[in-house]
Amino acid sequence: MDLRTRLGWFPEDRDVVRVAGPEAVAYLQGQVSQDVEGLAMGSSARSFVLQPTGKVDAWVRVTRTGEDELVLDVDGGHGEQLVARLRRFLLRTKADIDPLDWRVVALRGPGAEEIEVPTATGGEVLVLPAGWPRVEGVDLLGPGVEPPAGVPQADPDAYASLRIRSGVPRMGAELTERTIPTETGQWVVDGSVSFTKGCFTGQELVARIDSRGGHVPRHLRGLVVGGDEVPPVGASVVADGAEVGTVTSAASPPGGGQPVGLAYIGRGVTPPAAAEVRHGERAMPVTVVDLPMG
């Protein structure tokens, strides 16, 4: 199933955290890169939670669910880390930060934004824009969320290859404690960072790089493999005899065809560029391309 041409759903692994209290909005305004004070009720936006040095602690979606309440969702397995990070600077702030037992059903493909959303067994369903480049999609978020009737479930490779082709970074893969936000791509920064709000943790590095034209040593790029073998994560990318990057994600496309991957590539390599992925004694030809892939 190609989710660019056919509608499908996938049980996306996301952890959900609620921040609530009289000072919840003001607190998050100083902790995240997005202007959460400007979020209308029921609206959402991507945001970075940064270290004081400007490196990434988390990439989240923030949703305004009440006057004094916001819900943040993050890639699965990183919710506990997000809670600990947000509580670290809470001090005497009148806000509570707690995990929620919610799930996410991702809808991707033509018609995703018009689909009739089923009622959840545990409460209201939030229908949130997915925000993936060149992909129609929404995420259903809430307790007891179920997929819409009649929509087929996508297999993991179809969903992973769509994420990779769209250039969507994932926590633990493209996003680690060493990542600088600008490395992930301009569309990520444009949708996740407000340059007009007040100060927030980690702002100095982000603002300095933006003022210098976004120049960073490496950029997230796509890889299109010349054969049918999926490159292993962690393998080296070599161009003109020099190591220029490392594979962070890879998957086979639906229905066969050339596998695709993501890698941070040194800025000296201009796409499209011929390269190799090397793992031990093995080498496979790849083409380094811009994101999102065509």
Side-chain angles (χ1 to χ4, degrees):
M1 176 191 297
D2 187 343
L3 292 170
R4 283 184 172 176
T5 59
R6 184 182 176 192
L7 177 63
W9 74 273
F10 188 78
E12 187 168 12
D13 185 16
R14 305 283 291 178
D15 292 338
V16 184
V17 175
R18 177 169 54 203
V19 182
E23 297 176 351
V25 176
Y27 176 68
L28 274 188
Q29 184 75 353
Q31 293 299 316
V32 304
S33 61
Q34 190 58 262
D35 182 7
V36 296
E37 288 183 347
L39 282 179
M41 202 72 68
S43 64
S44 65
R46 295 283 185 174
S47 183
F48 284 107
V49 181
L50 301 174
Q51 305 167 21
T53 59
K55 302 292 182 66
V56 174
D57 270 337
W59 188 43
V60 304
R61 174 171 44 198
V62 184
T63 304
R64 187 78 174 264
T65 52
E67 187 67 30
D68 298 319
E69 180 184 86
L70 302 107
V71 168
L72 287 68
D73 61 289
V74 66
D75 287 321
H78 296 272
E80 186 176 334
Q81 172 187 331
L82 176 61
V83 169
R85 162 62 179 80
L86 292 177
R87 286 177 176 172
R88 189 180 311 152
F89 301 104
L90 198 59
L91 300 177
R92 298 179 180 85
T93 304
K94 295 178 181 178
D96 295 315
I97 300 171
D98 300 292
L100 294 176
D101 186 18
W102 287 12
R103 66 177 297 207
V104 173
V105 169
L107 297 176
R108 300 290 185 273
E113 296 172 2
E114 289 79 36
I115 199 76
E116 184 176 346
V117 178
T119 303
T121 58
E124 182 182 359
V125 178
L126 301 176
V127 182
L128 306 177
W132 289 16
R134 301 182 186 174
V135 177
E136 185 177 345
V138 296
D139 291 336
L140 311 182
L141 176 66
V145 173
E146 297 293 337
V151 178
Q153 181 175 351
D155 63 70
D157 276 346
Y159 193 75
S161 66
L162 180 70
R163 178 185 72 82
I164 290 169
R165 287 181 291 162
S166 302
V168 178
R170 185 168 179 82
M171 292 289 298
E174 291 74 41
L175 299 168
T176 72
E177 69 279 358
R178 301 183 301 275
T179 307
I180 297 172
T182 310
E183 297 173 335
T184 60
Q186 193 59 49
W187 76 270
V188 177
V189 174
D190 289 345
S192 307
V193 179
S194 170
F195 291 97
T196 58
K197 62 176 280 187
C199 295
F200 59 88
T201 302
Q203 179 188 35
E204 183 178 353
L205 177 65
V206 177
R208 185 168 69 247
I209 292 175
D210 179 70
S211 69
R212 295 176 179 176
H215 297 298
V216 285
R218 59 179 193 163
H219 297 274
L220 188 62
R221 303 296 192 194
L223 302 175
V224 179
V225 181
D228 58 4
E229 185 178 0
V230 178
V233 171
S236 299
V237 181
V238 177
D240 295 328
E243 183 175 336
V244 295
T246 303
V247 178
T248 56
S249 293
S252 294
Q258 295 172 292
V260 291
L262 292 173
Y264 282 107
I265 303 295
R267 65 184 177 191
V269 177
T270 302
E276 285 184 334
V277 169
R278 295 182 183 175
H279 182 65
E281 299 298 319
R282 297 156 58 199
M284 61 186 75
V286 299
T287 302
V288 178
V289 298
D290 283 322
L291 295 169
M293 302 183 196

